[in-house]
Amino acid sequence: MQEITQLHAIFDRTRGYINSFMGVIQPIIDAATDEHTRLYYHHILEEEEQRMGRLQELVPYLEKLSAGKSLDQLSDRDLSQMLSDVNLERFGLHNFREHLELSLYEFKDDETRQLLDGMREKTHTDYLTVKEIMANMSQRFSDAAHPDLTDHDEGHDVHQVDHLKASASAPHGVASVIKHSAPAVSGKKGLTVGSLKGM
């Protein structure tokens, strides 16, 4: 039950972070002077809105689980669904951290940058915690409940880069962000919504 309580706290906290983040980037969308900037941040905003919708269902469910029923009492189907939902949000934490990293290239005022960097650091810690919890939980339960635990940070150690410093010295603007931060595409298949639905 301690793991469920931890997951509840993490995803409840990230709901607050997403709200704050959306409040920070909405003015950029509203004041955009070119379509590229508007579409770039609107796309990020839409992804986080979709994630918020999922969290609005998952957080109360985890709260209910932590206050009552033991995981051992869940059916394989219910347990598999819960682990699948949590794993999807693990991937969501990874994406959210990257959205925060990208936004650091846009903002130059210290107050906003410190806010975003603080959320980025905590989100990274939360991502690692959820990854560990998922690995532990998937080992304890039947094979039917094992989700795909692909490591989305493979080959990318975020702590090798001081993102606050790197973004402060980088060229300003969305085009520069895309040019300097676009990852190399590999042939390795990662976690997808389709792969989770097919479990």
Side-chain angles (χ1 to χ4, degrees), residues 6-195:
Q6 277 183 285
L7 290 171
H8 173 259
I10 286 170
F11 293 133
D12 193 37
R13 174 170 48 250
T14 201
R15 279 196 305 183
Y17 283 177
I18 291 171
N19 267 327
S20 296
F21 180 65
M22 290 193 299
V24 167
I25 65 172
Q26 185 63 58
I28 295 179
I29 297 168
D30 296 340
T33 56
D34 62 276
E35 190 66 3
H36 183 226
T37 300
R38 189 191 70 78
L39 285 172
Y40 179 80
Y41 281 100
H42 186 260
H43 174 72
I44 289 176
L45 185 71
E46 280 189 329
E47 282 193 5
E48 295 306 333
E49 284 175 340
Q50 289 175 5
R51 183 159 176 251
M52 180 68 86
R54 297 194 306 266
L55 288 172
Q56 298 291 39
E57 295 183 10
L58 180 61
V59 170
Y61 180 67
L62 292 174
E63 183 176 27
K64 183 179 175 183
L65 279 181
S66 66
K69 186 183 288 189
S70 164
L71 288 181
D72 296 324
Q73 294 175 298
L74 291 178
S75 68
D76 265 1
R77 179 185 176 87
D78 288 343
L79 182 62
S80 181
Q81 182 62 54
M82 188 271 290
L83 290 175
S84 178
D85 290 345
V86 169
N87 201 40
L88 180 60
E89 296 318 314
R90 178 181 68 97
F91 183 59
L93 284 168
H94 174 273
N95 278 355
F96 183 48
R97 189 200 67 210
E98 291 192 340
H99 288 162
L100 290 165
E101 288 173 4
L102 287 169
S103 68
L104 281 168
Y105 289 89
E106 184 70 32
F107 295 95
K108 299 302 174 185
D109 65 288
D110 288 342
E111 184 179 353
T112 304
R113 289 174 61 76
Q114 291 294 337
L115 171 69
L116 294 170
D117 194 54
M119 290 194 293
R120 183 193 66 80
E121 283 285 342
K122 187 60 180 169
T123 298
H124 178 63
T125 301
D126 286 344
Y127 167 73
L128 294 177
T129 301
V130 172
K131 185 165 72 169
E132 184 179 343
I133 289 172
M134 288 298 298
N136 291 338
M137 289 177 70
S138 65
Q139 288 174 2
R140 291 206 328 253
F141 300 105
S142 70
D143 290 340
H146 286 195
D148 176 7
L149 294 176
T150 301
D151 187 350
H152 305 288
D153 274 333
E154 186 174 335
H156 174 65
D157 185 350
V158 296
H159 289 298
Q160 290 180 349
V161 179
D162 183 337
H163 293 281
L164 198 59
K165 183 185 290 185
S167 60
S169 61
H172 182 66
V174 174
S176 297
V177 171
I178 294 172
K179 180 179 177 183
H180 288 87
S181 65
V185 177
S186 72
K188 184 174 180 180
K189 184 178 178 182
L191 177 68
T192 65
V193 174
S195 68

